[in-house]
Amino acid sequence: MLFFLLRYYYRIKPQISGFIFKLLFSHKKLKIGKNFQCDTFPKVLLDKTASIEIGNNVIFRRNVELRAHGTSKVNIGDNCRIDRGVRILGANKAQIVFEEGVRMGLYTVLNGGDSIRIGKKSLVSGYVYLQTSMHNYEGNSSIQKQGYTHAPIDLGNDIWLGTHVVIFPGTTLGDKSIVGSSSVVNQSFDQNSIVAGIPAKLIKKRS
């Protein structure tokens, strides 16, 4: 009997945790939709001038981190699932947007010094890195003192990024594109592109 009770508890624990998190922490700058679930409370760092919005039927696994600094906005759409250890950072004036039905694999990082959009029903595998900023390196001063150059990342609908993919600033991927595992994408590709390599190159078109 105890076994079945524990099994039932662990099955509904994400629903309970999500309800409690919403009850305790939801406010004008942190909006949480219906049926939010989380294995553990996400870590949230939110400036007074920034905002985070989580849609309906969103699921977070363990140790998800959300950070919104400056006047940035993080918007996670309906029916998204975020695996454990994912870190989502918005800074400056960036808008970080997950459209409906995005699935994101474990320990993926979104470094949003500029805006990032991930289109509907896209699949982002584990250990992916989306990087919208690069250190400046000209001149004699140290790297840490030279600041950054920023550019947005725009990923279309029905995208699939394989494990360990890196996406560079200023990159656009058209709808239905696929990026092979361990690829580094430093240029934009049209819809239906299948790309792979370091740097990524067009392999063929998705039918």
Side-chain angles (χ1 to χ4, degrees), residues 3 8 45 54 71 73 75-76 99 124 147 150 179 184 205:
F3 170 78
Y8 177 71
L45 287 81
I54 300 171
T71 58
K73 297 180 180 179
N75 190 319
I76 299 175
E99 295 189 350
V124 179
H150 302 92
V179 181
V184 176
K205 286 289 189 175

Side-chain angles (χ1 to χ4, degrees), residues 148-168:
Y148 301 88
T149 300
H150 302 92
I153 291 172
D154 190 273
L155 307 181
N157 302 323
D158 194 22
I159 294 287
W160 177 19
L161 304 182
T163 306
H164 293 284
V165 164
V166 177
I167 305 291
F168 272 34

Side-chain angles (χ1 to χ4, degrees), residues 53-166:
E53 184 170 353
I54 300 171
N56 299 324
N57 307 312
V58 172
I59 299 173
F60 284 5
R61 296 306 178 194
R62 298 192 305 274
N63 302 322
V64 172
E65 181 178 352
L66 301 176
R67 302 178 62 177
H69 302 301
T71 58
S72 65
K73 297 180 180 179
V74 175
N75 190 319
I76 299 175
D78 296 345
N79 305 307
C80 290
R81 294 186 182 182
I82 311 300
D83 212 334
R84 68 181 183 272
V86 170
R87 183 186 186 194
I88 301 166
L89 166 65
N92 305 316
K93 299 179 181 179
Q95 296 192 33
I96 313 300
V97 177
F98 291 28
E99 295 189 350
E100 182 180 2
V102 170
R103 303 287 187 267
M104 182 158 292
L106 71 171
Y107 297 105
T108 284
V109 175
L110 282 75
N111 189 356
D114 207 321
S115 296
I116 299 173
R117 182 185 75 93
I118 303 176
K120 295 178 182 178
K121 299 187 181 299
S122 289
L123 176 62
V124 179
S125 301
Y127 301 95
V128 170
Y129 202 98
L130 277 67
Q131 174 68 30
T132 64
S133 59
M134 287 291 177
H135 276 283
N136 297 324
Y137 54 86
E138 302 294 340
N140 296 322
S141 61
S142 69
I143 290 292
Q144 293 184 14
K145 293 181 179 180
Q146 292 195 40
Y148 301 88
T149 300
H150 302 92
I153 291 172
D154 190 273
L155 307 181
N157 302 323
D158 194 22
I159 294 287
W160 177 19
L161 304 182
T163 306
H164 293 284
V165 164
V166 177

